[in-house]
Amino acid sequence: GLDNPAAEAHYGRNCIVALLDTGIDATHPDLMHCVLGGYNFVDDNGDTRDLHGHGTACAGIIAGNGLGAHSVKGIAPRAYVMAVKVMDASGRGTAFDVVEGPLYAVERGARVINLSMSAQGESEAVREAIAYAWQRGAVVVAAAGNEGRDEVAFPGSVGEVISVGAVDGLLQRAPFSNYGGKLTVVAPGVAVLTTAREKGYMEFSGTSAAAPFIAGALAALIGDRSGITAEEAYRAVTQAADNLGRGGRDAEFGYGIVNVRRLLADPRDRIYDVAMTTIYFDPPTLRLGTEAQVYFVIQNRGTRLIRNARVVTRVGGSRVEHTLGDLQPSQCVEVQRSLKLPESFGGQPVRVEGMVMLQEIDVAPYNNGRAVTLHPSVWRE
């Protein structure tokens, strides 16, 4: 949803994002404007230089100024980033250091806390520090973890935390990204160009890269609506997610990928936008001579209730028209069709497509339709 450079240049104004990480290279030309003095809890001093590079990479995604010819533009270039060093030059830290970070940050005005880290086990002290930050009005964002397993890593698994998984450029879950019932949303996390130590640039992959996208989006939201509470900001992020995969929240993508344009939309505006978000199959592996179910997922991406939208689906030449009920903003609904696969190889490709239509003027008609061509080579005996 980042498509208005003039507006985006002001995103994040007056919002402080605490980056609990390896420090930040404050001399980087893309970051000199935004880095606030923080604290080094690893060495118990004020030296927050980044000797690893991880924190500097996260900072560029949040608040890079994008002013140079080859510069990185962050999601919220007017935000301030507070360097709270809780990991050492090897990128490792302890719960004793991490637990100090949220307390230090909120006492100095941070409204967003980014934790691009995961732990082997859980820490009750860290959990209590996160709860304290939440009570003080700060939203905590954490990486889901990079083990590729069906379990969100701590501290992303904590209830008040926005846990972030990674998707690639095709909006598929990155193979390394953890997932599961506690996943909140996803963001880009494969080969993200961002800032590096010693005034350089790098491609950054991992859920550590995905989390700062959400921290930056939150900074843009809070900069636009300074009186918003942590609970309201959390809810706004989930409601501004463009659905991926199955309809509604799922283990693979959470609520979906956050759309900053939708996140900052004025709820009072009369925006009508319905989207065909996904076509998926059950079972996902198609076999010759069997029947599969086709699901068309539709989402209300506007700010107003949608009534009686029509959906036209075509499965292998068979056309059916459906009428939807009421769709609240952000709500998803699924339309189901059956697909009978040929008995043998050599058949023609099968076209599956859907189109959804509003009675009102749709502000984004480009997302109203979706199609999949099933070639015989994808079928199994």
Side-chain angles (χ1 to χ4, degrees), residues 24 28 35 88 136 225 310:
I24 303 174
H28 197 292
V35 181
D88 60 22
R136 292 288 298 270
R225 304 176 202 168
R310 292 186 301 117

Side-chain angles (χ1 to χ4, degrees), residues 204-260:
F204 187 32
S205 294
T207 56
S208 284
F213 275 95
I214 306 306
L218 282 161
L221 174 66
I222 292 168
D224 190 54
R225 304 176 202 168
S226 60
I228 194 169
T229 67
E231 184 176 359
E232 289 168 342
Y234 185 109
R235 186 166 59 250
V237 164
T238 63
Q239 292 177 343
D242 289 349
N243 184 77
L244 300 174
R246 296 171 181 259
R249 186 177 189 178
D250 62 37
E252 194 87 352
F253 302 104
Y255 288 98
I257 185 166
V258 173
N259 184 315
V260 177

Side-chain angles (χ1 to χ4, degrees), residues 70-331:
H70 304 288
S71 292
V72 166
K73 181 183 177 185
I75 304 297
R78 288 290 297 277
Y80 295 104
V81 182
M82 181 186 297
V84 183
K85 189 168 180 174
V86 296
M87 292 187 286
D88 60 22
S90 67
R92 301 182 68 85
T94 70
F96 296 104
D97 296 327
V98 173
V99 74
E100 301 282 0
L103 312 180
Y104 176 91
V106 296
E107 288 170 0
R108 286 156 181 81
R111 293 294 309 278
V112 182
I113 298 174
N114 189 85
L115 294 164
S116 284
M117 63 179 73
S118 60
Q120 297 291 337
E122 298 192 6
S123 164
E124 187 60 31
V126 171
R127 188 186 298 274
E128 291 175 0
I130 290 170
Y132 175 79
W134 174 269
Q135 293 162 7
R136 292 288 298 270
V139 189
V140 181
V141 180
N146 299 328
E147 294 77 33
R149 65 174 186 245
D150 184 2
E151 182 182 12
V152 172
F154 183 85
S157 57
V158 175
E160 298 93 341
V161 173
I162 297 178
S163 57
V164 188
V167 292
D168 61 19
L170 298 176
L171 298 184
Q172 300 297 311
R173 181 177 64 85
F176 56 76
S177 179
N178 288 0
Y179 55 99
K182 293 185 177 180
L183 184 70
T184 312
V185 290
V186 294
V190 178
V192 177
L193 182 66
T194 187
T195 45
R197 290 178 60 236
E198 300 178 352
K199 304 180 177 62
Y201 299 92
M202 65 182 290
E203 288 189 351
F204 187 32
S205 294
T207 56
S208 284
F213 275 95
I214 306 306
L218 282 161
L221 174 66
I222 292 168
D224 190 54
R225 304 176 202 168
S226 60
I228 194 169
T229 67
E231 184 176 359
E232 289 168 342
Y234 185 109
R235 186 166 59 250
V237 164
T238 63
Q239 292 177 343
D242 289 349
N243 184 77
L244 300 174
R246 296 171 181 259
R249 186 177 189 178
D250 62 37
E252 194 87 352
F253 302 104
Y255 288 98
I257 185 166
V258 173
N259 184 315
V260 177
R261 175 181 55 80
R262 290 182 59 208
L263 181 65
L264 300 185
D266 190 330
R268 297 169 296 183
D269 290 343
R270 297 186 68 84
I271 299 173
Y272 291 97
D273 178 18
V274 64
M276 177 79 65
T277 71
T278 318
I279 297 174
Y280 72 91
F281 301 89
D282 186 19
T285 300
L286 304 179
R287 298 187 178 277
L288 290 170
T290 65
E291 185 174 285
Q293 300 305 308
V294 186
Y295 293 89
F296 301 83
V297 184
I298 299 99
Q299 183 179 30
N300 180 354
R301 293 183 178 172
T303 60
R304 287 289 180 264
L305 175 72
I306 290 175
R307 296 183 183 276
N308 301 321
R310 292 186 301 117
V311 181
V312 175
T313 61
R314 289 183 175 88
V315 177
S318 171
R319 180 186 185 278
V320 177
E321 185 168 317
H322 318 257
T323 300
L324 303 181
D326 291 351
L327 267 181
Q328 299 289 341
S330 302
Q331 183 181 353

